[in-house]
Amino acid sequence: MRTLYVVTHPEATHHVEGVVGGWHDSQLTPAGVRAAVSIAQALRAQIPDGAETELFSSDLQRTLRTAEEVAGLFGVKPIVDRRLREKSYGEAGGKPQEWLDRRFIPPPAVGERMDHDEGVEGSETKAAWAQRIYAAMDGILQNRCEHQIIVTHGGSLTFVVASWIKMPIESAGYASFRAPSGSITTLREDDFFHNRQVVSLGDTRHLDSAIAG
């Protein structure tokens, strides 16, 4: 049995500042750090002591800080992979969200969605974004580790899940698996049928203690 726990980093400075995230290297807010502690504790409660566990993380500060809390409880070192980053919004990264909103060209309802040009210089296409996430997942799943934790971003979660269920990239243009910041999505593969299950999507129950604190 293999179980993946996919963490979307909690509140970061770009959330509260109203600026575009993407590859903009924002940091966790104090509330985000408290949430990261709760995430680590929730994972520790789910994974048996002594079980082999691997930890993977995007290389941006907000994900690395989250992974740091997890690493401390599990005694493992994060495997850092820049392919797990959020989508790049090119020149919009770090600019006010309304700056991007004025320029953004949404994909068509019918037609080419994966290679669609969103109208922002340097912005990553959905195809390029999906390809790097799928490649990162291929690398992660080469290891037959029973418990694997992946710390990534809210947007990138869609392609983590799509890759997990073996959705062809060319079919992912309409896919959207949305989850709140600071959530845990649980994915499981059984040893008999090798079916891949989405056990839970975007669970945030562990954040109640962080909010209370």
Side-chain angles (χ1 to χ4, degrees):
M1 186 83 71
R2 182 210 296 268
T3 306
L4 271 62
Y5 310 85
V6 188
V7 174
T8 57
H9 71 81
E11 184 183 82
T13 50
H14 74 274
H15 291 144
V16 298
E17 292 169 357
V19 300
V20 178
W23 288 13
H24 172 59
D25 204 7
S26 60
Q27 302 181 38
L28 294 186
T29 64
V33 173
R34 292 194 298 272
V37 171
S38 295
I39 290 165
Q41 292 170 341
L43 292 169
R44 182 69 279 179
Q46 293 181 61
I47 299 174
D49 289 342
E52 183 186 7
T53 304
E54 292 179 331
L55 173 61
F56 301 86
S57 177
S58 154
D59 66 335
L60 296 178
Q61 291 183 77
R62 55 194 186 269
T63 42
L64 283 176
R65 182 66 183 86
T66 307
E68 181 181 303
E69 292 296 333
V70 178
L73 284 189
F74 283 86
V76 296
K77 185 176 180 180
I79 299 168
V80 180
D81 190 338
R82 65 180 284 118
R83 295 175 299 181
L84 292 170
R85 284 184 177 194
E86 185 58 286
K87 168 185 163 65
S88 171
Y89 288 94
E91 65 176 345
K95 286 186 166 64
Q97 183 64 47
E98 53 86 19
W99 187 94
L100 174 60
D101 293 343
R102 290 199 309 270
R103 294 163 175 80
F104 186 82
I105 302 171
V110 178
E112 179 51 59
R113 295 172 61 87
M114 294 299 283
D115 286 313
H116 168 71
D117 183 352
E118 298 173 344
V120 178
E121 184 69 29
S123 183
E124 207 172 16
T125 64
K126 186 174 277 191
W129 182 19
Q131 285 162 4
R132 64 174 168 82
I133 296 291
Y134 272 55
M137 287 293 289
D138 286 345
I140 290 168
L141 295 176
Q142 281 180 5
N143 298 340
R144 290 301 307 176
C145 183
E146 190 175 3
H147 298 277
Q148 295 175 302
I149 301 166
I150 301 171
V151 185
T152 186
H153 305 259
S156 293
L157 175 70
T158 282
F159 296 121
V160 170
V161 176
S163 171
W164 173 251
I165 63 175
K166 292 186 174 291
M167 179 184 292
I169 286 183
E170 60 270 19
S171 300
Y174 291 93
S176 179
F177 298 99
R178 302 302 299 171
S181 299
S183 68
I184 301 173
T185 290
T186 304
L187 311 173
R188 185 166 294 134
E189 179 183 6
D190 72 86
D191 292 332
F192 188 77
F193 292 105
H194 297 284
N195 289 333
R196 292 187 174 183
Q197 180 184 5
V198 180
V199 179
S200 65
L201 179 68
D203 189 358
T204 57
R205 288 173 293 177
H206 52 277
L207 295 182
D208 292 344
S209 59
I211 293 170

